[in-house]
Amino acid sequence: MESLIGTGDGWYDGQGIFHEFTQESVDAMMDSYKETLESIKKGVLYSKYDGDGDTYSMIPPTEDVVSSYSVDIIKDNGKTVYIGDYSTVEELDKAISDAVKNGQLTQKEVDSVQ
């Protein structure tokens, strides 16, 4: 990762802002990777990215697992609407339906993610 510093390479965050690799960002990433490795050694399970989206999951070995359902919908104007943190798919579906009813989203926008 050190070789990326100063090359112009980087990443876009969730707000569409580009961040170039710096010594500070590489150090922060390495610290995060080390923390993840230590937690794996303690029994925490992590999922891998499957190519279908930015799915990230971890299951602590001694805590109850709680599911959270959400979706990011990109509107026709390019803005993203996040609907989420529901404990069931039914609750998420109702929230999406309510967003269409109140005009926050169009049915076409919703259909593009389903």
Side-chain angles (χ1 to χ4, degrees):
M1 292 190 70
E2 295 269 334
S3 66
L4 296 172
I5 297 170
T7 63
D9 286 339
W11 71 96
Y12 286 93
D13 64 17
Q15 304 300 313
I17 298 171
F18 183 77
H19 298 271
E20 187 173 340
F21 285 108
T22 63
Q23 186 65 54
E24 293 82 18
S25 65
V26 168
D27 289 346
M29 283 184 219
M30 293 306 297
D31 288 343
S32 175
Y33 295 154
K34 288 175 186 174
E35 287 176 21
T36 299
L37 181 58
E38 287 304 312
S39 65
I40 289 170
K41 289 178 182 177
K42 294 176 183 172
V44 175
L45 303 176
Y46 286 83
S47 68
K48 290 185 176 182
Y49 172 72
D50 65 5
D52 290 332
D54 292 328
T55 302
Y56 178 82
S57 301
M58 66 177 254
I59 302 172
T62 60
E63 297 178 22
D64 291 334
V65 176
V66 176
S67 295
S68 177
Y69 297 91
S70 62
V71 66
D72 285 318
I73 298 174
I74 300 174
K75 295 178 59 72
D76 291 336
N77 65 8
K79 296 199 183 262
T80 300
V81 175
Y82 173 80
I83 300 177
D85 298 326
Y86 293 97
S87 58
T88 67
V89 173
E90 291 77 18
E91 289 174 326
L92 176 61
D93 288 344
K94 182 181 181 323
I96 293 170
S97 177
D98 290 346
V100 171
K101 287 178 188 171
N102 70 26
Q104 185 181 8
L105 297 170
T106 65
Q107 189 61 50
K108 177 184 166 202
E109 293 165 337
V110 170
D111 292 342
S112 71
V113 297
Q114 293 183 342

